Amino acid sequence: MKHELKCEPGPFLALLEGRKRVELRFDDRGFAEGDTLLLREIVGEGRYYTGRHVEVSVLHVLHGGQYGLQPGWVAMSIELKETA
């Protein structure tokens, strides 16, 4: 499944530079291994799209309620697919 999500500039840049390999999200979409995340950069208080995006593959999902992660949240191991 493909999920389109907003991403703040700091984490977005870390993804582009290869420094960010985990995505933490509230699990309101049933994230699963093999999913694709389309992360669209946003800026400002109006949360405007910049037009830049990254696409990542979800390699592993750690569900909340364990290892200090709150229930209802997930930590996803991700791998960069493409950028624009």
Side-chain angles (χ1 to χ4, degrees):
M1 177 172 276
K2 189 172 191 173
H3 306 277
E4 187 174 325
L5 303 164
K6 296 174 183 171
C7 188
E8 297 285 339
F12 187 85
L13 181 59
L15 281 166
L16 288 179
E17 294 176 345
R19 297 180 291 115
K20 185 175 187 289
R21 296 288 180 214
V22 174
E23 186 69 20
L24 296 173
R25 293 283 174 158
F26 185 73
D27 192 16
D28 58 349
R29 298 169 183 242
F31 296 109
E33 290 180 21
D35 284 356
T36 297
L37 307 181
L38 174 62
L39 299 165
R40 297 178 63 199
E41 184 184 37
I42 58 170
V43 295
E45 290 191 29
R47 300 174 62 95
Y48 300 103
Y49 291 113
T50 65
R52 297 194 318 164
H53 68 273
V54 294
E55 198 166 283
V56 299
S57 298
V58 177
L59 304 176
H60 180 264
V61 179
L62 176 67
H63 294 276
Q66 55 186 338
Y67 304 109
L69 189 60
Q70 291 294 317
W73 287 80
V74 292
M76 296 175 277
S77 299
I78 55 174
E79 177 178 64
L80 190 64
K81 289 174 75 171
E82 67 177 60
T83 62

